[in-house]
Amino acid sequence: MNPTASTVALICGAVVISGLAWAQQGERGGPTPSPQGAAVHFVGLNDGAKLPTRVTIRFGLRDMGVAPAGLERANSGHHHLLIDTELPPLDKPIPNDFNHLHFGAGQTEAEVTLKPGPHTLQLLFGDKDHVPHNPPVMSPRMRARPPIGSPENQQVLDSAERS
C-alpha cells in the first residue's frame, strides 16, 4: 500500500472510531452501573393511550430495586417521570421541574394532573443522586391523548380543524 493510501485509510479509520465513540457516549449515563436487562415501563399504559387530565400512573421495574434518593444500595434507584420533554443529559442530575417529576421517596405510582391536550411520557430511573445509571434505564417515550368525547379532546379537535 502506498503512503497516501495508508494515510487515507488511517484517517478514515480514526473518523469511524471517533463517530462510534461519540454515538456510544450519547447512551452513557452517570457513574452508577445498572445490571444487564434492567428496564422500566409503564404499567397498563401503551403508546397512544387515552388519559384523563387527572390520572394515576404506575411505574414498573425489572432486574433492579427501588430505593429512596440519597440511599446507596447496589442495583437500585428511583423513578423520574418526564412529561412533554426530551431526555436530559444522561450523565448529570435529572432536572426537578414540572416536566421532570422526581419520586425520590421510592414511589412506584403517582397521581398526576395533566394540562388538557396530547402529551408525551417517559420514565427514567435515577441513582441516589438523581443521575441516570450506566447504561441508562429508561422506557420508550409514549404518546398520550385525552379520551374521545372529553372536553379536552374536543378542544384539541377544534384547534386542529381551525389550522
Side-chain angles (χ1 to χ4, degrees), residues 5-30:
S6 298
T7 303
V8 169
L10 184 61
I11 291 171
C12 287
V15 168
V16 168
I17 289 170
S18 296
L20 289 173
W22 180 80
Q24 288 176 343
Q25 184 179 15
E27 290 298 316
R28 293 185 56 84

Side-chain angles (χ1 to χ4, degrees), residues 40 61 64-66 76-80 123-127 132-133 137:
V40 291
L61 177 65
M64 289 187 81
V66 175
S76 69
H78 60 280
H79 294 283
H80 299 83
L123 290 173
L124 179 58
F125 209 59
D127 69 9
H133 293 78
V137 179

Side-chain angles (χ1 to χ4, degrees), residues 3 9 17 20-21 35 39 43-44 58 65 70-71 75-76 82 84 89 91-92 97 101 111 114 122 130 142 149:
I17 289 170
L20 289 173
V43 176
R58 292 178 177 81
L71 181 66
N75 298 327
S76 69
L82 281 52
D84 299 330
D91 60 346
K92 298 193 176 3
D97 56 35
L101 302 182
E111 187 171 297
L114 300 168
Q122 186 171 19
H130 305 281
M142 68 168 260

Side-chain angles (χ1 to χ4, degrees), residues 112-130:
V112 177
T113 301
L114 300 168
K115 292 181 182 176
H119 297 281
T120 60
L121 304 172
Q122 186 171 19
L123 290 173
L124 179 58
F125 209 59
D127 69 9
K128 66 182 181 62
D129 298 316
H130 305 281

Side-chain angles (χ1 to χ4, degrees), residues 15-70:
V15 168
V16 168
I17 289 170
S18 296
L20 289 173
W22 180 80
Q24 288 176 343
Q25 184 179 15
E27 290 298 316
R28 293 185 56 84
T32 306
S34 60
Q36 186 174 0
V40 291
H41 62 275
F42 292 101
V43 176
L45 288 181
N46 295 314
D47 191 38
K50 297 173 187 155
L51 298 179
T53 55
R54 189 175 191 136
V55 60
T56 299
I57 298 177
R58 292 178 177 81
F59 318 134
L61 177 65
R62 184 181 71 219
D63 293 341
M64 289 187 81
V66 175

